[in-house]
Amino acid sequence: QKEVEQDPGPLSVPEGAIVSLNCTYSNSAFQYFMWYRQYSRKGPELLMYTYSSGNKEDGRFTAQVDKSSKYISLFIRDSQPSDSATYLCAMSAGEPGNTGKLIFGQGTTLQVKP
Amino acid sequence: NAGVTQTPKFQVLKTGQSMTLQCAQDMNHNSMYWYRQDPGMGLRLIYYSASEGTTDKGEVPNGYNVSRLNKREFSLRLESAAPSQTSVYFCASSEPDLNYFMNTEAFFGQGTRLTVV
């Protein structure tokens, strides 16, 4: 079983919908939780970053972390066609001598239809 | 600002051929990484280098070697390519805070699409 599990989708929604993307993980040492967005044939780019538990909001995007359940979510409000991309969750433990290496989920492909 | 630059962007190899994927970053980052991306598998870490002069295996190192040539450059070598190594390869760099164990953003290159026939 992978350390990080993410439903690969694909997920198709109409423009304006609220989108919920989720990941579960098994390693309780993970402390840093990230969401990357990857457009077709491009490299991933950081979208949201959260340390430990709690919520973080940035415009239409909200990231939630529930360490007790080992579950993280990304919500997209008022989704736009430009949000169509693959969304990857990523985590790291921040171990001593932190190397910054990340463990990724499988990625969820999202299509927002006009 | 170029960020992370990978060459080549596309490559087709025959089984058994060798090649080196090049990666360079201009952000003065200490840590660099090589990932591969396959459908339904997400990004998997092949090798990483926490600082110049050090390299370590990641999740899927078999069939690959790496060289951290200097602080800017981190290359990935396939000595004898196999069809199972058909994938999209991404190089990334970041600057983790070693004193406070905080993670920071990883910056990715545009990827190298490799096909082994």
Side-chain angles (χ1 to χ4, degrees):
Chain A
Q1 185 180 0
K2 288 178 65 70
E3 278 190 287
V4 180
E5 296 281 355
Q6 182 178 6
D7 185 344
L11 183 62
S12 182
V13 302
E15 183 175 356
I18 296 174
V19 177
S20 173
L21 305 170
N22 311 294
C23 288
T24 59
Y25 63 95
S26 58
N27 188 346
S28 58
F30 286 149
Q31 297 185 64
Y32 303 97
F33 304 92
M34 286 143 275
W35 287 94
Y36 280 79
R37 179 172 61 193
Q38 184 180 23
Y39 290 113
S40 181
R41 296 185 174 269
K42 299 290 187 182
E45 294 179 317
L46 183 66
L47 183 62
M48 298 285 285
Y49 171 87
T50 309
Y51 171 68
S52 194
S53 285
N55 295 357
K56 186 172 184 178
E57 188 173 322
D58 184 2
R60 296 185 294 109
F61 298 90
T62 299
Q64 289 186 349
V65 175
D66 182 348
K67 290 188 70 178
S68 63
S69 300
K70 296 189 179 67
Y71 188 87
I72 71 170
S73 300
L74 177 71
F75 296 96
I76 307 174
R77 291 184 301 278
D78 188 25
S79 56
Q80 302 295 309
S82 58
D83 295 328
S84 297
T86 296
Y87 291 80
L88 297 134
C89 62
M91 309 178 188
S92 74
E95 72 277 10
N98 183 18
T99 62
K101 60 181 179 178
L102 300 173
I103 307 299
F104 283 86
Q106 294 93 321
T108 300
T109 300
L110 171 68
Q111 183 182 26
V112 181
K113 294 183 176 179
Chain B
N1 190 353
V4 178
T5 303
Q6 292 182 236
T7 55
K9 288 185 170 55
F10 302 92
Q11 184 72 48
V12 178
L13 289 179
K14 293 182 179 179
T15 298
Q17 286 185 318
S18 63
M19 79 162 294
T20 300
L21 281 64
Q22 306 286 353
C23 175
Q25 52 95 5
D26 62 4
M27 294 170 283
N28 202 37
H29 288 165
N30 274 299
S31 293
M32 297 185 73
Y33 319 87
W34 277 105
Y35 291 89
R36 60 178 288 174
Q37 186 173 32
D38 303 292
M41 301 293 289
L43 286 154
R44 293 182 292 169
L45 184 64
I46 305 171
Y47 270 94
Y48 65 99
S49 170
S51 62
E52 186 179 352
T54 68
T55 61
D56 283 288
K57 295 178 180 179
E59 182 184 357
V60 288
N62 291 345
Y64 305 95
N65 284 301
V66 292
S67 295
R68 183 73 182 268
L69 304 170
N70 47 56
K71 193 171 184 179
R72 288 187 65 247
E73 299 173 288
F74 188 38
S75 63
L76 178 71
R77 183 161 178 83
L78 287 71
E79 290 291 351
S80 179
S84 61
Q85 294 178 306
T86 294
S87 187
V88 181
Y89 292 85
F90 287 100
C91 176
S93 72
S94 72
E95 188 59 41
D97 184 332
L98 298 179
N99 292 325
Y100 299 100
F101 312 143
M102 289 182 67
N103 212 326
T104 54
E105 179 177 359
F107 292 85
F108 285 81
Q110 294 296 292
T112 295
R113 293 183 173 272
L114 175 67
T115 301
V116 183
V117 298

